[in-house]
Amino acid sequence: MFDLEKEWSISFAGCGFMGIYYVGATSCILERFPRFIQDASKIYGASAGALMATVLTVGIPLEQICVDVLTVAKEARKHILGVFHPTFSLLRVVRDSLLEKLPADAHLRASGKLCVSLTRIADGKNVLVSEFDSREELIQVLMCSCFFPVYCGFIPPSYRGVHYMDGALSNNMPLFEQRSTITMAPFSGESDICPREGTFNFFEVHYGNVSIQVNTGNVHRVCTSFLPPRLEKLAEICHNGYMDALHFLRERDLLGTQHLPPGLVVESCCELVASAQAEESKETLLNGQNPHQEDHRWLDLKVIENLPAGFKRVLCEACRDSHDGGTVLPVKVLTYLLTLLTLPVELTVFLTKR
């Protein structure tokens, strides 16, 4: 059982586009047991995990972040080369979003509670930053923590005159070794909140202090971190994060006797989108047509059934507006290659256990 009388911290691992897993997980926690995040002494993060930690510390609505992740993924998938297209800059998109959404006093809210992991380029050492003199300095720190060489460009950003790169390269799970730190990662492994494969426990690797099992599920998750899949898949990842966080809360006996709130009543995509476009639906009915006759197959109901109503609407509308068809070329190639590489390992482990 989780001891609420003692001090605790939360640590988010870096994970790229898999960060939408955190959106689902933290939405569950804020809905069911908000004190878990509000009363945390510190919130640590690296790369995309640092962005999520900032959102929670500063108080940006999660639905806005969900929209941002889906929009960036949709934009990247417009190009045949995805995130590697010369006209697309992930770091620039992230910076623009921070400039738009961070309040003027963001650095004051973050100082002392937010802790961002950086990797110093000069010697490869890890640096944890938790004090910020200005809003611009906070943005500089986050840019440094998100800069993955080559993937995000070739010129690293700087903070106080020193060049840094992705914090995940030296410490992807800050303070994971402390028992009072609750760890969260979108890769199946030994983190407190993470996906559970439910089959065999294969070999395990540790990347930047994050435990990652060697299995096909994690192969796809690693690919998704760098190369965004279809929006329907991102919606599923968001829902998985919600359910994994719910499992964590139940396991730690943090739910008590709470019942499902009214917002968790299952609604179809048709109902959600129709409610967001009430005027359009009325006009359609006046013309003698039934809006529910349209075949809404852009998002499976089971993918979002437990999410709060606001997230259902955001995900449904994003998937409805996105008809990008197939997967971009780098995603296909990398997924196939990594799957072929891990199959012999999994087969060996399976036969050994048998």
Side-chain angles (χ1 to χ4, degrees):
M1 184 175 176
F2 190 78
D3 190 352
L4 295 173
E5 300 301 321
K6 296 182 179 180
E7 188 177 272
W8 70 88
S9 301
I10 306 173
S11 187
F12 293 91
C15 57
F17 285 98
M18 283 294 294
I20 199 166
Y21 177 92
Y22 295 147
V23 175
T26 53
S27 71
C28 174
I29 295 173
L30 289 174
E31 178 185 60
R32 304 301 190 93
F33 192 70
R35 182 186 167 190
F36 181 75
I37 290 176
Q38 295 168 357
D39 292 352
S41 60
K42 280 187 179 293
I43 302 181
Y44 298 85
S47 194
L51 296 177
M52 191 69 243
T54 303
V55 168
L56 296 174
T57 306
V58 174
I60 301 175
L62 288 177
E63 288 182 19
Q64 292 184 16
I65 304 306
C66 186
V67 171
D68 280 357
V69 175
L70 296 174
T71 302
V72 174
K74 182 179 177 181
E75 182 64 29
R77 291 180 59 84
K78 286 182 180 178
H79 310 291
I80 187 63
L81 295 177
V83 294
F84 297 104
H85 196 275
T87 62
F88 182 82
S89 172
L90 183 59
L91 213 61
R92 184 185 67 245
V93 172
V94 172
R95 180 178 177 82
D96 290 344
S97 179
L98 290 173
L99 287 170
E100 176 188 351
K101 291 182 170 56
L102 285 181
D105 64 343
H107 59 292
L108 299 177
R109 301 187 195 183
S111 291
K113 184 163 186 176
L114 172 66
C115 193
V116 181
S117 174
L118 308 178
T119 302
R120 192 163 50 215
I121 290 182
D123 54 8
K125 298 294 184 180
N126 182 255
V127 176
L128 296 178
V129 181
S130 60
E131 297 294 333
F132 313 94
D133 292 338
S134 65
R135 178 174 176 267
E136 177 58 31
E137 188 172 274
L138 172 59
I139 294 176
Q140 289 176 6
V141 171
L142 293 173
M143 290 298 94
C144 289
S145 186
C146 292
F147 179 79
F148 198 95
V150 181
Y151 179 77
C152 291
F154 296 93
I155 302 176
S158 62
Y159 158 63
R160 294 185 178 178
V162 179
H163 291 286
Y164 294 91
M165 56 183 175
D166 200 320
L169 296 173
S170 57
N171 189 358
N172 200 21
M173 186 73 81
L175 264 67
F176 81 103
E177 69 279 0
Q178 294 191 7
R179 297 187 64 182
S180 60
T181 301
I182 304 301
T183 56
M184 196 180 302
F187 311 106
S188 62
E190 295 181 351
S191 299
D192 294 306
I193 301 177
C194 70
R196 309 294 175 185
E197 293 297 333
T199 55
F200 295 101
N201 289 323
F202 300 113
F203 288 126
E204 208 170 80
V205 298
H206 284 79
Y207 171 71
N209 298 328
V210 179
S211 164
I212 303 177
Q213 294 175 350
V214 179
N215 53 51
T216 52
N218 276 339
V219 167
H220 289 282
R221 294 182 187 106
V222 170
C223 288
T224 302
S225 297
F226 293 96
L227 306 170
R230 299 185 65 184
L231 300 195
E232 294 84 349
K233 182 62 179 178
L234 289 175
E236 182 181 346
I237 294 169
C238 182
H239 182 263
N240 290 342
Y242 184 98
M243 297 308 296
D244 289 338
L246 184 60
H247 175 77
F248 169 83
L249 293 175
R250 283 175 177 163
E251 202 175 46
R252 302 301 194 282
D253 197 24
L254 296 176
L255 289 178
T257 57
Q258 294 181 3
H259 300 284
L260 287 176
L264 289 183
V265 175
V266 176
E267 297 179 275
S268 68
C269 284
C270 301
E271 293 169 335
L272 290 167
V273 175
S275 65
Q277 300 176 328
E279 294 301 323
E280 182 179 341
S281 298
K282 289 179 182 178
E283 292 179 3
T284 304
L285 289 172
L286 289 175
N287 293 329
Q289 299 176 355
N290 186 351
H292 294 283
Q293 289 177 347
E294 184 182 351
D295 189 13
H296 294 309
R297 293 184 178 177
W298 55 77
L299 187 58
D300 187 351
L301 175 61
K302 294 180 180 179
V303 169
I304 59 170
E305 60 181 347
N306 292 303
L307 289 173
F311 283 88
K312 291 179 185 179
R313 184 173 295 108
V314 166
L315 293 168
C316 277
E317 291 180 350
C319 292
R320 178 204 60 194
D321 296 336
S322 174
H323 299 283
D324 49 10
T327 307
V328 291
L329 184 61
V331 177
K332 289 183 178 180
V333 174
L334 188 57
T335 300
Y336 292 152
L337 287 176
L338 290 177
T339 301
L340 288 174
L341 289 173
T342 56
L343 279 176
V345 176
E346 293 195 16
L347 182 60
T348 301
V349 175
F350 174 76
L351 293 176
T352 302
K353 289 193 173 185
R354 288 297 298 270

